[in-house]
Structures are given as structure tokens and as C-alpha cells.
Amino acid sequence: MSNSGKKERIHFGTLEKEAVAHAKRKREEEEEHDAMSTTVVDNLLDISEGAVSARPGAHIDLDQIDEVMGDDEELMLTDDALATRRRAMAEFDRKRIARTIAIPTNDAHVKDALRQNEQPICLFGEDAGDRRDRLRYILSKIAIERRDAGSEQQEIEDEDMKSDDEDEVQEVFYTEGSEALLQARQNIAKQSLARAEQRIERQREDCKVDLASVRRLRQNLVAQLTNYTIVGSQVGDDRPLSRIAFAPNSRQVLAGSWSGAIKLWDIPGCKMARLFRGHTDRVGGLSFNPRAGQSKGCVDFASGASDNEIFLWSLEKDTPVGNLKGHQSRVVHVDHHPSGDYLGSASYDGSWRLWDIATEQELLLQEGHSREVFALRFQCDGSLVATAGLDGIGRIWDLRSGRSIAELEGHAKEIFGLDWSPNGYQLATGSADNTVRIFDLRKIASVQQIPAHKSMVTDVRFFHYDSTQSSEPRISEDMDTSGDGNEDMSVHKRLCDGQYMATASNDGLINVWTAGDWKLQKSLAGHVGKVLSVDISRDGSYIASTGFDKT
């Protein structure tokens, strides 16, 4: 085989040997520069007393170099040696930063990045690999310049923020309340003590029920929950339905729409009974007065909407009978106090407010959340109110004193729904992190985290039994209600109160959970798309929901 000579390699795009030679020289110069930097550091380490060994291939610790070369030894070096040392240290710092920078592998993206930094997109004799190395070098230099330029400014800003935080921690202020607010606090205190006494007495009576009866009633409840199925569906409006609420008698339901319309429906036939018009934008909150339907001409329910208005309504009129003005932004939730005399509202203006329904007067404007307030619910006794919002934190407020007594922390994202358990000390919150958390006021902590849905949780509702309004609770045919003399229907009613809850989500499902063990008993499907609201009738017969599919 003849060895006639090696053929020269042809580089497509150029036939000039000088271009190839220029690229090779550039690589050799970079390698020599790196070798010289390493040699300089080795020499500096040899000069220092007790210097670490800088054997070929050994790892060089920059922190160790700083310790070896102290301030006194720097003074012993000549100006040239000191400048060389600083340049070497700067180069090591730049390379360390360069290693952390992600460079695109697509050559077109590399050229775009060079163009954005006002650099030539291609040098003579430069291939794609050289271009990536050049971009890495440029970005590392820019990062160092920005770091050096912003370090001093950042220190000043950190000091200002620290001083501001200290001022905020030390800042405690009070605002003088009105005489009407003082009277309302006194009334709430008296009424809440009476309700708390009744609740505790009921819980003591429930504790006397024998364990076998409790177990049997629990099995009956699970059988009831697993038998839930769709009994009716109706297109409610031309736009999505944002909120739903059962009437205290459990025979009618209100549905609010993004169009601003509110419709009253008879159940289970899903026939519209009345159309209420007043809002001009999407309805966010609906709440029935606990005394709704007991007397003619009274305020039966309230609504809040994105037009910043809160309207009071009577079931006998299709126009508002009252208007509560004060919020500066969208009203997303309203709830009646258990007494029926007061109304709470949550708004995107970052506040929640307490209103006197009889006088239509604003009693309290309360701030405390760092972002928009989205949910508000009164505790069954009426002494406490819970609020939550887009800051991902819930707060418990004492209406008798006006103080924030607890923070509900744990959610990673915004909180869109909450509800009190009828036991008075547990609270459920639903969040955009797809979970529901159960908080216990006795521990002021989250006692259970439920991975409730595959998408954000939009609403949470416990079953609240009302013996003064609701009819007999639904009992399926296969439920065993037999037992000894201690077990009767009244016990069954009480023990069902607060023993399950329903959650709605953007995944299109309504999940039903038993309380205590917090197990999923039933997933109700039917909506096409997001479910925006859910509610449970006072007799436990129905679960109603509204969604983005306008049903």
C-alpha cells in the first residue's frame, strides 16, 4: 500500500488555509492563557508560608488561597505580582460563574443571544462550538459586571427593607370604632355565648350514645353518600354560573351568573321560580338569611358582584330592597351571621366588612391580608369569622374584640374556599394547590391535608343540619335504622351534622368526604369543565353545584 501523502482536509464554506490556521491559533492561545493562570496561582502559593501543595492536577480551593494570602502578605508583594494575582482570581471567579450559565445547544438560538447582547453573531473561522464558548464568556463577563454594580445598591436596599420591617413589626395602631359597632359587638357576644352553650350541651348528649349505635349510624351515612347520583340538570344562563346556595327549607336553590342575573329554582324539578336583576357584572357571593321566609318583606338573601355592589333581596320582589355600598373593588363572597342581623363580605380591595342589615350601615372595615380576600364564613356560634384569600393564608377574627386570633398557614397557593364544621372548632380550606386542609382551633394548626383533586379546589362545604328548617334527612332503603331505645331519628339527625363535606374543583368533579377519617366516599361527575361552586341542602337530600358549562 503506497504512502503517497496525506490529503488535506477541505472545510466547506472556505477554501482559505489562513482561516483554518487562525482558528487553531485562537484555541492554542486560550489553552496557553489557562495554563498561565494556573501557573501564576501555583507560584503565589509557593511564595506564601505554609502554602498548600499545588501539585499538577491538584484541586485549587479559592477560599484556601484567600486564607493563605492575608492582608499582611499582600503588602509584601510587588505591584505587578499583586495585579497578576488579582487578575488570576478574577478569572477563576469568571469561570466559576460561566459554569453555572446555561447555553443553548441550537446554533440559531446562540446567534440570537449574541445579537441581543450586541455582539457579532459569527467571527471569521468560528464554528458552532466556538460560538457557544464565546457566548458563555460574554455572559459570564456581563454577570460579573452586574454583580459588582448592584452589590452596593443591594446592600442599601437590604438595609432599607430591614429598617422598614422593623418599623412594621413595631407598628401597632388602633382605630376608633363607632357606637353602632360597640353595640353590635355586645350583641354578638351575648348571642354567641348562648349558642356555644347549646352546642356544647348537644355534644355532651351525643357522647352518651353507645359505640355500637355510632358505628351503625356511620355505616348508614356512608351508604347514603355512596348512593348520591344526578337527579336533574339545567342550563341556568348564557354565561357561566359562579355561585349556588340552598334555601333554609331545602326546597329551593339560588344560582348566580357571570351575567349578573340571579335565578331561584325549585328542586328537584329544576324549574325557574323567579329572576332577580340588579347586578351588572358577574355574581360572586350568595347567602340566605337564616330567617328567610319567616316573615313577609324581610331580607331573605344577599348577593355581591364584580360591580362592587352588595344587594339585599326579598323572595317576593325581583328588584333589590337594599344596597350596601363601600367596597372599592369586586365583591367575591358574602355570608350571613347566624343571628341574621349582620352580613359579612369579602372583596378584591383587600378588606372584609361587617354590615348591619337593618340600617344598611357599614360597621367594620377590616384589613389584614396582603392580597385580595376571596372567602369569608361565620362560625356557627357567631363569635368568630374566618377569611382567606389570594395570599394563601387564612385568618380567624374574634368579632367580640376585633382581633385576629389565629393564622391558618400551610397552603402553597391561593385559597378559594373555606367552611366551618358545625362542631365549632374545625375549619376546612380549599386551595389552588389542589388540596384541602383541616385546621383545628384547639391546636391552631393544620391536622389533616387532603389531596382532594387533580386541579385547584374552588369551593368547600360541610353538611349543616338545621332542625328548625329542614325536613327529615334522606335515608336510603338499604339503611338500617333499627337499634335499641337510645337510638332514634333525632339522634341520627344530630350525628349526621357536620359528618361529611363536599369539595368542588376545576377538574370537573365534586368529591364527597366523611369527616374524621377524611376518606373519599363518592366522586360526582357531570359538569363539562370547571365546577365553580357547591352546596349541601340542610336536610342532606341534595348536593347542588354550578360550573363553567353554564349548568
Side-chain angles (χ1 to χ4, degrees):
M1 186 174 180
S2 62
N3 188 10
S4 58
K6 187 178 180 180
K7 293 184 179 180
E8 293 185 359
R9 184 177 180 182
I10 299 177
H11 294 263
F12 292 94
T14 177
L15 297 178
E16 300 178 6
K17 298 181 180 179
E18 290 80 359
V20 179
H22 175 76
K24 292 182 178 179
R25 286 197 303 271
K26 183 178 178 182
R27 293 193 186 94
E28 292 174 357
E29 289 174 358
E30 290 179 353
E31 293 174 357
E32 291 177 359
H33 183 272
D34 294 342
M36 182 181 67
S37 300
T38 305
T39 304
V40 171
V41 174
D42 292 343
N43 294 335
L44 292 175
L45 293 174
D46 292 338
I47 294 174
S48 306
E49 294 182 1
V52 296
S53 175
R55 298 183 302 274
H59 175 69
I60 298 175
D61 190 348
L62 300 182
D63 295 334
Q64 195 173 12
I65 294 175
D66 291 338
E67 293 176 0
V68 172
M69 294 295 293
D71 294 336
D72 295 338
E73 294 175 347
E74 280 190 356
L75 296 176
M76 298 174 59
L77 297 176
T78 62
D79 293 341
D80 293 340
L82 185 59
T84 303
R85 176 182 180 273
R86 290 176 177 172
R87 285 196 299 271
M89 298 301 296
E91 181 63 17
F92 275 111
D93 189 27
R94 185 197 66 77
K95 289 185 176 181
R96 178 182 60 80
I97 295 176
R99 286 194 296 269
T100 63
I101 299 176
I103 303 298
T105 57
N106 189 306
D107 191 45
H109 295 167
V110 173
K111 291 181 179 180
D112 291 339
L114 289 170
R115 186 181 293 107
Q116 292 175 3
N117 288 279
E118 299 180 353
Q119 297 292 329
I121 64 173
C122 184
L123 297 180
F124 187 74
E126 185 180 54
D127 58 11
D130 295 334
R131 223 171 349 263
R132 293 184 72 249
D133 293 339
R134 182 161 62 91
L135 177 60
R136 186 185 299 276
Y137 176 82
I138 292 170
L139 294 180
S140 63
K141 296 290 287 184
I142 294 175
I144 291 176
E145 292 174 359
R146 290 177 178 174
R147 183 194 63 184
D148 296 341
S151 59
E152 183 177 354
Q153 181 66 24
Q154 185 64 36
E155 291 177 0
I156 297 174
E157 292 178 357
D158 291 342
E159 289 295 330
D160 293 341
M161 292 179 63
K162 183 178 179 181
S163 61
D164 291 342
D165 293 341
E166 292 176 353
D167 293 340
E168 290 178 0
V169 171
Q170 296 175 359
E171 182 182 3
V172 178
F173 65 93
Y174 300 90
T175 56
E176 184 177 356
S178 63
E179 186 66 26
L181 176 60
L182 176 61
Q183 185 64 38
R185 291 196 192 282
Q186 293 174 348
N187 293 338
I188 289 173
K190 294 177 183 178
Q191 297 169 1
S192 63
L193 288 174
R195 292 192 194 88
E197 184 178 2
Q198 296 173 2
R199 174 176 56 84
I200 294 173
E201 184 62 29
R202 289 196 303 269
Q203 292 173 348
R204 288 173 178 170
E205 291 295 327
D206 294 343
C207 291
K208 297 178 182 179
V209 181
D210 61 280
L211 186 59
S213 299
V214 172
R215 185 180 296 110
R216 184 162 50 252
L217 290 171
R218 182 76 169 191
Q219 293 172 352
N220 293 340
L221 175 62
V222 172
Q224 170 189 347
L225 299 180
T226 55
N227 286 335
Y228 270 114
T229 186
I230 296 179
V231 296
S233 178
Q234 183 65 268
V235 176
D237 199 73
D238 295 334
R239 300 200 65 193
L241 302 181
S242 54
R243 188 67 63 179
I244 195 165
F246 270 103
N249 60 16
S250 300
R251 294 189 292 270
Q252 291 179 316
V253 65
L254 278 174
S257 168
W258 279 15
S259 67
I262 302 173
K263 296 180 181 180
L264 182 66
W265 303 85
D266 293 326
I267 55 174
C270 295
K271 294 182 179 180
M272 190 179 74
R274 188 178 291 273
L275 171 63
F276 302 92
R277 285 200 175 275
H279 289 293
T280 59
D281 205 345
R282 63 184 67 181
V283 176
L286 285 175
S287 175
F288 267 102
N289 192 317
R291 300 196 295 259
Q294 296 182 6
S295 61
K296 293 184 178 180
C298 72
V299 175
D300 293 317
F301 70 94
S303 63
S306 296
D307 55 10
N308 308 350
E309 301 283 356
I310 300 174
F311 288 145
L312 305 178
W313 306 82
S314 171
L315 292 174
E316 300 175 353
K317 298 181 179 180
D318 55 6
T319 56
V321 297
N323 187 4
L324 307 180
K325 294 185 178 181
H327 280 295
Q328 303 299 315
S329 187
R330 171 185 175 189
V331 181
V332 289
H333 210 284
V334 294
D335 191 35
H336 276 87
H337 188 267
S339 66
D341 298 327
Y342 309 104
L343 183 75
S345 60
S347 171
Y348 264 38
D349 60 11
S351 70
W352 68 270
R353 308 192 185 205
L354 183 67
W355 309 83
D356 188 318
I357 295 178
T359 63
E360 300 183 13
Q361 179 184 359
E362 178 187 295
L363 300 176
L364 175 66
L365 186 159
Q366 183 64 61
E367 298 176 335
H369 289 272
S370 61
R371 293 188 61 188
E372 296 87 342
V373 185
F374 202 92
L376 176 145
R377 292 284 184 188
F378 288 102
Q379 186 225 26
C380 57
D381 296 340
S383 58
L384 305 177
V385 62
T387 61
L390 305 190
D391 55 2
I393 295 177
R395 288 185 179 274
I396 307 297
W397 307 84
D398 191 336
L399 292 173
R400 299 162 296 185
S401 64
R403 292 180 177 272
S404 174
I405 61 174
E407 290 187 2
L408 310 179
E409 298 181 338
H411 283 294
K413 293 184 178 180
E414 301 89 343
I415 298 176
F416 291 109
L418 60 83
D419 195 23
W420 288 91
S421 170
N423 61 26
Y425 55 83
Q426 285 185 327
L427 180 74
T429 58
S431 170
D433 60 9
N434 307 348
T435 67
V436 172
R437 283 185 176 268
I438 308 299
F439 292 90
D440 194 319
L441 262 64
R442 299 170 298 181
K443 301 179 180 179
I444 314 181
S446 173
V447 295
Q448 185 72 33
Q449 181 181 10
I450 307 172
H453 291 273
K454 296 181 180 180
S455 186
M456 60 183 290
V457 181
T458 56
D459 204 4
V460 180
R461 287 296 284 170
F462 276 99
F463 167 57
H464 295 262
Y465 173 70
D466 187 355
S467 59
T468 63
Q469 293 281 354
S470 53
S471 57
E472 296 296 322
R474 187 184 76 168
I475 303 177
S476 57
E477 296 178 356
D478 59 344
M479 289 175 62
D480 179 18
T481 58
S482 63
D484 54 29
N486 294 328
E487 182 178 344
D488 55 13
M489 187 56 64
S490 62
V491 175
H492 175 79
K493 294 176 184 178
R494 289 201 311 269
L495 295 182
C496 283
D497 190 20
Q499 291 303 304
Y500 65 95
M501 70 175 182
T503 59
S505 170
N506 279 358
D507 61 8
L509 296 177
I510 301 158
N511 289 339
V512 184
W513 313 79
T514 48
D517 55 6
W518 309 112
K519 289 184 178 180
L520 177 64
Q521 301 298 338
K522 185 74 172 182
S523 288
L524 304 175
H527 283 283
V528 180
K530 306 173 184 177
V531 182
L532 303 180
S533 180
V534 67
D535 197 13
I536 305 174
S537 64
R538 296 299 182 94
D539 60 1
S541 298
Y542 303 103
I543 295 178
S545 62
T546 55
F548 204 78
D549 56 2
K550 308 172 187 178
T551 64

